[in-house]
Amino acid sequence: STMIGCPMAWTLKYHVGLKMPDTLSIPTGNQMIGTFCHRIIQELFKDLNVKLTPKEAEAKTLSLYDSLVASFASELLLEGRELDNKRYRAAVGRAVRQLVETMDQFGLVVEKTEEKLQGSLGAIPFIGYADLLLNEKAGHRFVLDLKWSGSSKKRKEEVEEGAALQ
């Protein structure tokens, strides 16, 4: 979307490699939740030799949430945010449980998390990271791009209309 919206910003960021220092870009709001949840998934599937049931995945997710919230989503620990924190915690636990249930249903296993993928279109190089790289018994590989915030209705409409950029 950056390339379409502002080609100069895309060129400076992805081609030239300019970026804001990490100390100047502390995420908040939806971006914070996304970063936090991606980290939970990385930790959850760190040991690829351990097969978790949906119930175990949910329990481990809730434990990871509790241990990482101060580092990744400290604004949820502020006075007055207790209800938001409880809601996010429950929602992330449910989402991970449903993710593992769906993976089990389709016989998918996690091959890697945050896997670097690269290719080119003509002379333009593209580099990205797959949130989850999944594999199934027949050897087919799938890339899963996790979305943790925003409107699921909007995402569904984008896909149905062929307007989704990811």
Side-chain angles (χ1 to χ4, degrees):
S1 63
T2 303
M3 184 169 63
I4 293 169
C6 182
M8 177 59 98
W10 181 88
T11 300
L12 292 174
K13 183 174 182 180
Y14 296 103
H15 190 64
V16 177
L18 294 178
K19 67 176 191 170
M20 297 265 296
D22 291 337
T23 56
L24 296 179
S25 59
I26 297 170
T28 62
N30 286 339
Q31 186 180 8
M32 172 202 62
I33 295 299
T35 301
F36 181 33
C37 292
H38 276 80
R39 180 54 184 261
I40 289 172
I41 291 294
Q42 281 181 289
E43 292 297 319
L44 183 67
F45 294 111
K46 184 185 271 185
D47 186 355
L48 298 175
N49 297 318
V50 175
K51 174 82 170 97
L52 298 171
T53 67
K55 189 175 182 178
E56 291 168 338
E58 182 177 23
K60 188 171 180 181
T61 295
L62 296 176
S63 175
L64 286 166
Y65 184 102
D66 294 339
S67 66
L68 296 173
V69 69
S71 299
F72 286 86
S74 58
E75 71 182 55
L76 294 175
L77 300 175
L78 294 172
E79 188 176 329
R81 298 293 307 269
E82 297 88 357
L83 185 57
D84 288 336
N85 189 25
K86 286 180 183 181
R87 286 180 178 161
Y88 279 121
R89 184 180 186 274
V92 172
R94 277 191 314 273
V96 169
R97 183 183 186 124
Q98 290 172 346
L99 172 65
V100 173
E101 285 172 353
T102 303
M103 288 170 44
D104 288 351
Q105 178 184 355
F106 291 101
L108 299 169
V109 294
V110 175
E111 187 178 313
K112 295 185 180 178
T113 64
E114 294 299 322
E115 175 69 2
K116 184 177 182 179
L117 302 174
Q118 49 190 0
S120 61
L121 182 60
I124 302 172
F126 288 89
I127 299 171
Y129 291 86
D131 296 336
L132 289 176
L133 191 56
L134 304 171
N135 204 338
E136 51 100 26
K137 291 176 185 167
H140 297 103
R141 298 170 85 197
F142 299 90
V143 173
L144 186 59
D145 183 36
L146 301 170
K147 297 297 181 202
W148 294 100
S149 59
S151 168
S152 61
K153 181 180 177 184
K154 178 183 174 200
R155 297 276 181 229
K156 184 178 178 187
E157 288 172 0
E158 287 177 346
V159 171
E160 288 172 348
E161 295 169 3
L165 294 177
Q166 291 184 321

